[in-house]
Amino acid sequence: MKTIRKISVTGALCFTLFTTLAMSCTSENDVTITQEAPAPTHQNAKTQFVDVKGVSFAYRVIGRESGTPIVLFPGLGGSMDDWDPAVIDGLAQKNKVIIFDNKGVAASKGTTPSDIQSMANDAIDFIEALHLTKVNIMGFSMGGFIAQRVALTKPALINKIILTGTGPQGAIGLSNLPNIVASTAGLSPEESFLKFGFTSSTQSIAAGKAAYARIQLRTIDRDLTLSDATSASQFTAVLTWAQPNVNALVELKNIKNPVLIVHGENDLPVSVQNAHNMSQSLENSELLIFPDSGHASFFQNHDAFVTKAIQFLNK
């Protein structure tokens, strides 16, 4: 049964990370206290590499060792270090989280394709190269386009899906992306991040600045900047996805997996109407809309998002 919820930040539950101490007695008068090594976080997780059909893909693993892992697909221009650590570390409290750079992106080798389906095929190859037979997936913006195609191309591989700030093929408003990008000309990286992902309200801007600061925390082994060629290929893929497709919503009906759709009420590049449209086509979906939030609504409302996502993934 579908439900649609609007959540405010004040209604969110907060999680606390605890370090576990283990005690062992070696003798009646001798007590040794052993502190477990802290689990990897977004800030310090080691970058690993796996061969994917002859191409080296970079990835990191955060969180639990057991359980169905969740594999994350970032948005346009994003790499492993463009995720908000509050989201990654929050999800990792209860899940094994895998972030990676798709073909040609940042630290991964190869040539980035210029269409979403090929990106989805590469993502499937990466997952299978890790010898995973069942995964949850989460896609943000362009990563949500990829997630849809992964679920439609290899349904047996997928357990549950989270779609954030994304839309179906022909998404409403997406074709205006070149004008939105042009409007950020001359802005600093932080200013562009705020304009693209947040609203103009004082609360949203403050949350955006906090998210931006968190994203800069990793300084050692930080991911590489995307090349011009990769950026151009991704932009072409997104604009191609933006072209009208009368069958897109009908095709989504083939996805039978549980889907959590998360969207900002004031998303600039991808209208919130896309989230409503997808929820009507995905029969096993739940729609979560954050008020006074833009494209990066789940960064702005990270506590509420993590609470809901963990509940969704683990129920």
Side-chain angles (χ1 to χ4, degrees):
M1 178 178 180
K2 294 184 182 179
T3 59
I4 299 177
R5 300 177 60 198
K6 287 190 178 182
I7 289 186
S8 64
V9 178
T10 56
L13 297 176
C14 296
F15 285 89
T16 305
L17 296 174
F18 295 93
T19 300
T20 303
L21 295 179
M23 296 181 63
S24 61
C25 297
T26 57
S27 70
E28 184 177 353
N29 299 314
D30 185 16
V31 177
T32 301
I33 299 177
T34 304
Q35 182 173 343
E36 292 184 359
T41 66
H42 183 269
Q43 190 171 344
N44 61 27
K46 179 182 177 181
T47 301
Q48 304 179 62
F49 296 89
V50 62
D51 182 274
V52 181
K53 293 186 174 179
V55 179
S56 179
F57 277 46
Y59 72 101
R60 299 178 191 144
V61 180
I62 303 103
R64 300 179 61 182
E65 289 298 322
S66 60
T68 303
I70 178 167
V71 182
L72 275 61
F73 309 145
L76 175 68
S79 69
M80 292 186 288
D81 285 316
D82 289 297
W83 291 106
D84 186 341
V87 170
I88 300 301
D89 294 339
L91 291 173
Q93 294 174 74
K94 299 290 184 180
N95 300 275
K96 180 177 183 178
V97 179
I98 300 174
I99 56 178
F100 78 110
D101 292 329
N102 214 340
K103 184 186 287 184
V105 175
S108 289
K109 304 301 182 181
T111 301
T112 302
S114 57
D115 66 281
I116 298 298
Q117 182 62 57
S118 294
M119 294 178 182
N121 294 340
D122 291 336
I124 292 170
D125 290 341
F126 164 74
I127 292 168
E128 293 181 335
L130 293 181
H131 306 293
L132 300 172
T133 57
K134 185 71 71 173
V135 297
N136 298 312
I137 56 175
M138 172 177 155
F140 170 43
S141 193
M142 183 189 75
F145 309 157
I146 296 171
Q148 292 171 55
R149 295 311 310 172
V150 168
L152 288 166
T153 303
K154 196 86 171 184
L157 185 63
I158 307 305
N159 182 41
K160 295 183 179 181
I161 305 165
I162 300 177
L163 300 175
T164 63
T166 194
Q169 290 189 52
I172 297 170
L174 187 60
S175 61
N176 192 44
L177 183 62
N179 293 327
I180 298 173
V181 172
S183 71
T184 66
L187 299 181
S188 69
E190 181 183 36
E191 290 170 337
S192 180
F193 177 79
L194 295 174
K195 180 177 179 61
F196 210 85
F198 300 82
T199 74
S200 59
S201 76
T202 300
Q203 181 180 9
S204 184
I205 291 298
K209 288 182 176 180
Y212 186 82
R214 290 191 297 270
I215 291 170
Q216 312 313 311
L217 288 175
R218 185 179 177 113
T219 56
I220 298 175
D221 189 29
R222 192 171 176 88
D223 223 341
L224 302 173
T225 302
L226 272 65
S227 68
D228 290 343
T230 289
S231 297
S233 292
Q234 288 189 348
F235 202 67
T236 297
V238 169
L239 291 183
T240 301
W241 183 270
Q243 298 306 305
N245 183 336
V246 295
N247 297 316
L249 290 172
V250 174
E251 188 176 22
L252 284 183
K253 294 180 183 292
N254 293 318
I255 297 178
K256 306 301 181 182
N257 312 71
V259 182
L260 174 62
I261 303 169
V262 180
H263 219 93
E265 195 168 45
N266 309 105
D267 193 311
L268 182 61
V270 186
S271 167
V272 68
Q273 186 58 50
N274 292 293
H276 288 286
N277 292 344
M278 288 193 302
S279 72
Q280 294 302 312
S281 293
L282 296 164
E283 64 180 41
N284 195 8
S285 66
E286 184 174 352
L287 176 60
L288 175 60
I289 299 175
F290 287 112
D292 186 32
S293 300
H295 195 51
S297 67
F298 68 117
F299 288 5
Q300 176 174 333
N301 305 281
H302 54 85
D303 283 336
F305 169 75
V306 166
T307 299
K308 181 59 187 176
I310 287 178
Q311 177 192 15
F312 169 75
L313 291 171
N314 295 283
K315 67 181 178 182

